[in-house]
Amino acid sequence: MRLHGRAHKFGDDVNTDYIISGRHKFKTLDMKELARHVMEDLDPEFSSKVSKGDFIVAGKNFGCGSSREQAPLAIINADISAVLAKSFARIFYRNCINTGLPVLECDTDLIQAGDELEVDLAAGVIHNLTSGVDIPIKPLPPVMLKILSDGGLVEHFKKHGTFKFD
Amino acid sequence: MGKTLAEKILSNKSGVDAYANEIVVADLDFVMGQDGTSPLAIQAFREMNGQKVFDRARVAMVIDHSAPSPLEGVSALHHGMREFAAEQGVILYDIGEGVCHQLMPERGHVVPGDLVIGADSHTCTYGAINAFSTGVGSTDLAAGIISGKLWFKVPESIKFVLNGELSPGVYSKDLILYLIGQVTADGATYMAAEFTGSAIRAMSVEARFTISNMAIEMGAKVGLMEADQKTISWVRRHTDRPFTPVAADPDAVYAEVREYDVSSLGPQVACPHTVDNVKPVEEVAGTPIQQCFIGTCTNGRLEDLRIAADILRGEKVNRGTRLIVAPASRQVMLDAIAEGIIQVFLEAGAAVVTPGCGCCVGTHNGVPSDGENVLSTANRNFKGRMGNNKAFIYLASPATVAASALTGRITDPRDFVK
C-alpha cells in the first residue's frame, strides 16, 4: 500500500488535547465535525490546509496525554493518511492501530514542512520526493500488524470474536 | 529469574510466565469508561457484534467529565450511556457521584493484585493500591467489555526509590511533579513505574493515589506500589472482596533504578504549557493568578480538601481571584461537609461545584478568560486544556493553591501551614 501527500510539521510532545480539544470532543460522535478542529490549538488554520492524503510529521512523544480515541478518528477524518513521528505515546499508538490509522516511527528530522512524501508501507520505507532521501520505518510488532491487517480491532473481533494472534 | 510488580500481575492474570517485552492476553478484573470515551466504546461494541458484556458486575460507566451536562450534544451522549447501562445491567455512576478514579477504589471495585483497564489515561491511579491499572482507548475498552480480556505488552519497569521524609508544607503532589520534571514527559513511555522507599511508606493511601495518578504524565503505563498495612486496611474499609497483595522479587530486573532523598524537596509548580516544565515555587512566586482550582482525580480527596481548608479557615480569597472547589466524589463531599470543610470554603468565598472533573477538562464549570493565569491541583496544563488556548495553567499542591488563592499570586504555602 502506497500513500502520497505533503508533510505538515509539528514539534515534540503533541498531546491529544492539541489533536482534538476537550471543548469539542465531549459534544458529538460526528468525526467529520471534530475533524474541522484537528490541531486547532497549535494551528487554527490546520484543517483547511490539508489536502487528501497529506501527512502529519512530528517529533518525539506524539499523542501523549488523554486516552481519547477521537484523536486518531479526527485525524483520519481530516483526510490525513498517516502520522510520522520519532516516537509515539502508548495509548495513542494502540488507538491508531485499533482504528486503522498508520503510525510510522522514523527519523522525522529528514523531512521538512511541505516536502512531498511517498510512503511504501509494505517495504517499510518513506521516499522523500522533495529531498530524494529514503527514510526507513521502524517495523510494527507482529500483534499490531495482525490487528492492522484485519482492518482494525473492530474487524478483528468481528472475525474472531476474541483476541486471536496465532 | 525474579519479577517486577508488573511482570507478576500480568503473569498471574494471563497464566503465562511472562517477562518484559512479551505479549500476553490477560483476564481483566474490572473495566471502566467515562463520558468522554464510553459513547465511542458503545458504538464499537455494537460494530463488533457485541451481545452481552462479559460480567455486568465488573463493568462501570461513569458520567463525570462533563456532568451535569452543559450542552445538548453532551446530553445525547449521556443518554446513550444510560440506555446502554440499563440494557446491559452494568454499573452506572451518574452525574454528581464523582470522578471515575475516585469511585473505582472508593466503591471497592479495585483490590491489590487486580488487572484493571479504564478508557481514561489516569486509570494508572490504582497502582497506588497494588493493582495493575492502565488507560486504553474506546475500541480496546469495547473488546474488554465483550471478552473480559485484553492484550498487553509486558512493560519494562523503572523503579523510583524515594528515601527520606517530606518536610511540612511539601506533599506527594510536589514529589510527583518534581519526578516528572526530572524524567520528562516521555521518560517512562511504555514502562511501568514502581514507587517505593520510606517516603512512600510514610504517606497515606490518599497521598499515594496522587503519585500513581500522574505516572502517565511521564509516559508510564502504570504507577505501581507494593501493598503495606496501610493499603490493606484502606482497601478493607471499602470492600470485603478477598485479595492477595503482590510483591516484587528482590532479584527482579529493572530497566532503570532512580534513587532520591526527598527531605530537602520544596513545593513545586508545573508551568505552562507542559507538565514536565517544573520549577521550585520560589522561582514563580509572585505570578498573579486569576483562577484557582482545587479538585480532580489528582487532588480532590478528603485529605486534599482538609489541607486546603486548614489554610483558608477564617480567611478570604483575594479580591480579583476566583477559587473553585470540586470534591472528587459525593462521599468526599459528604465527609467534607461533616468536618465543616465545605463551610470553610464557602465562607472564604469559594465556588463549590458538583463532584466530578470540574473545570479540569475544559468543558464547563470555570473556563478561564484570554490571558488569565490559572493555578490548579489537576494533572495537566496543556494549552487549551481548560477550554481556552489563550489561558496559562500552572499545577501545584492543594496547599500551594489555597495559599495562592488568599494572596492572588503564586505563593509558597510553607508560611501558611499551621
Side-chain angles (χ1 to χ4, degrees):
Chain A
M1 186 179 164
R2 280 169 185 268
L3 311 171
H4 183 267
R6 289 196 180 273
H8 299 268
K9 269 207 103 169
F10 293 90
D12 292 339
D13 301 320
V14 172
N15 62 63
T16 53
D17 273 83
Y18 291 165
I19 298 170
I20 184 68
S21 163
R23 69 182 176 277
H24 299 302
K25 72 134 181 171
F26 284 96
K27 284 185 218 167
T28 179
L29 291 183
D30 179 352
M31 294 304 148
K32 283 284 172 211
E33 167 60 24
L34 292 186
R36 290 175 42 222
H37 301 288
V38 162
M39 300 296 203
E40 173 181 88
D41 286 341
L42 293 178
D43 177 359
E45 307 299 316
F46 179 73
S47 70
S48 61
K49 289 179 189 166
V50 175
S51 300
K52 195 169 173 56
D54 280 358
F55 303 99
I56 287 175
V57 178
K60 68 178 180 64
N61 202 26
F62 187 88
C64 60
S66 121
S67 67
R68 61 192 70 176
E69 208 159 287
Q70 288 89 340
L73 292 173
I75 290 175
I76 293 168
N77 282 279
D79 288 334
I80 293 286
S81 63
V83 181
L84 287 54
K86 288 183 193 164
S87 64
F88 292 91
R90 186 192 71 84
I91 304 175
F92 177 82
Y93 194 74
R94 272 183 89 115
N95 288 346
C96 289
I97 303 298
N98 287 344
T99 53
L101 172 66
V103 270
L104 312 174
E105 252 185 75
C106 61
D107 182 0
T108 52
D109 285 342
L110 300 172
I111 302 169
Q112 303 306 317
D115 281 1
E116 188 184 353
L117 309 176
E118 189 177 77
V119 175
D120 186 338
L121 286 175
V125 66
I126 297 157
H127 305 294
N128 187 333
L129 303 178
T130 304
S131 70
V133 173
D134 283 353
I135 307 161
I137 303 166
K138 192 176 160 189
L140 278 178
V143 168
M144 290 192 149
L145 261 183
K146 171 75 179 151
I147 293 172
L148 250 193
S149 66
D150 279 343
L153 189 60
V154 166
E155 295 304 319
H156 180 90
F157 253 66
K158 271 162 88 172
K159 200 160 144 191
H160 307 289
T162 186
F163 294 101
K164 189 151 175 53
F165 300 132
D166 309 328
Chain B
M1 195 166 93
K3 286 189 176 137
T4 62
L5 281 173
E7 288 167 337
K8 272 213 173 154
I9 296 176
L10 288 173
S11 293
N12 289 347
K13 298 297 173 182
S14 65
V16 175
D17 191 22
Y19 290 92
N21 297 316
E22 290 174 29
I23 304 281
V24 297
V25 177
D27 291 327
L28 304 172
D29 292 291
F30 206 88
V31 180
M32 182 276 296
Q34 36 89 337
D35 50 332
T37 54
S38 295
L40 270 180
I42 294 167
Q43 192 173 290
F45 178 90
R46 309 269 189 230
E47 286 169 7
M48 287 169 164
N49 300 322
Q51 303 295 320
K52 250 178 69 193
V53 303
F54 81 105
D55 182 346
R56 60 198 168 93
R58 289 195 279 168
V59 177
M61 289 191 172
V62 186
I63 301 179
D64 59 353
H65 275 59
S66 204
S69 168
L71 287 168
E72 211 177 316
V74 177
S75 305
L77 298 178
H78 287 174
H79 178 73
M81 288 174 71
R82 293 183 186 115
E83 273 193 333
F84 182 84
E87 168 199 309
Q88 292 288 329
V90 302
I91 301 159
L92 176 78
Y93 291 113
D94 214 315
I95 62 164
E97 293 270 14
V99 187
C100 53
H101 304 309
Q102 174 64 15
L103 293 170
M104 289 306 103
E106 181 189 288
R107 303 298 177 93
H109 298 311
V110 186
V111 299
D114 269 1
L115 176 60
V116 176
I117 60 165
D120 186 282
S121 58
H122 293 109
T123 303
C124 51
T125 308
Y126 335 134
I129 52 169
N130 193 234
F132 189 106
S133 60
T134 193
V136 297
S138 298
T139 306
D140 274 334
L141 181 74
I145 287 176
I146 292 171
S147 66
K149 294 176 191 296
L150 193 67
W151 73 268
F152 296 88
K153 179 171 147 188
V154 181
E156 291 188 297
S157 294
I158 172 169
K159 180 151 86 169
F160 292 88
V161 184
L162 305 165
N163 301 316
E165 200 184 333
L166 291 173
S167 320
V170 184
Y171 302 90
S172 62
K173 178 62 164 289
D174 299 301
L175 176 53
I176 188 63
L177 286 178
Y178 174 77
L179 295 176
I180 293 163
Q182 292 295 303
V183 302
T184 76
D186 67 343
T189 296
Y190 299 110
M191 286 182 167
E194 263 186 40
F195 300 100
T196 183
S198 59
I200 296 291
R201 286 192 292 276
M203 277 175 205
S204 68
V205 171
E206 297 206 336
R208 294 175 191 177
F209 279 130
T210 305
I211 303 248
S212 294
N213 174 267
M214 292 193 73
I216 179 73
E217 308 309 330
M218 51 173 87
K221 193 167 188 166
V222 57
L224 282 158
M225 297 181 190
E226 289 192 351
D228 60 7
Q229 206 46 54
K230 282 184 193 169
T231 321
I232 292 166
S233 346
W234 193 95
V235 175
R236 276 281 156 263
R237 285 203 301 279
H238 296 270
T239 178
D240 50 14
R241 220 178 100 199
F243 60 85
T244 312
V246 173
D249 291 324
D251 58 340
V253 178
Y254 292 87
E256 193 183 351
V257 178
R258 299 178 77 114
E259 207 158 333
Y260 296 90
D261 186 337
V262 307
S263 308
S264 57
L265 187 75
Q268 306 286 309
V269 179
C271 300
H273 294 287
T274 58
V275 185
D276 58 1
N277 185 17
V278 178
K279 296 179 179 157
V281 70
E282 296 89 334
E283 280 185 33
V284 284
T287 307
I289 295 294
Q290 286 78 37
Q291 179 168 307
C292 287
F293 176 48
I294 298 170
T296 78
C297 53
T298 319
N299 278 127
R301 299 183 186 82
L302 186 62
E303 182 177 296
D304 300 314
L305 302 189
R306 248 183 226 147
I307 289 165
D310 282 345
I311 291 171
L312 294 165
R313 188 167 287 112
E315 308 285 340
K316 292 277 181 222
V317 169
N318 175 65
R319 234 181 123 98
T321 306
R322 309 177 295 273
L323 172 61
I324 299 169
V325 180
S329 72
R330 178 174 290 153
Q331 190 58 53
V332 167
M333 190 160 183
L334 283 167
D335 293 345
I337 288 170
E339 285 191 22
I341 289 171
I342 299 297
Q343 180 110 7
V344 169
F345 290 141
L346 293 173
E347 285 176 355
V352 179
V353 302
T354 311
C357 301
C359 54
C360 172
V361 264
T363 56
H364 66 159
N365 266 337
V367 175
S369 180
D370 288 6
E372 284 192 330
N373 293 331
V374 179
L375 184 64
S376 164
T377 64
N379 41 36
R380 290 205 173 119
N381 60 350
F382 304 150
K383 194 159 114 179
R385 172 75 178 180
M386 296 178 81
N388 184 340
N389 61 18
K390 294 175 204 75
F392 299 85
I393 308 169
Y394 296 79
L395 308 175
S397 75
T400 302
V401 176
S404 305
L406 294 180
T407 62
R409 298 175 178 278
I410 295 181
T411 298
D412 189 331
R414 287 174 291 192
D415 305 332
F416 290 77
V417 173
K418 291 149 195 163

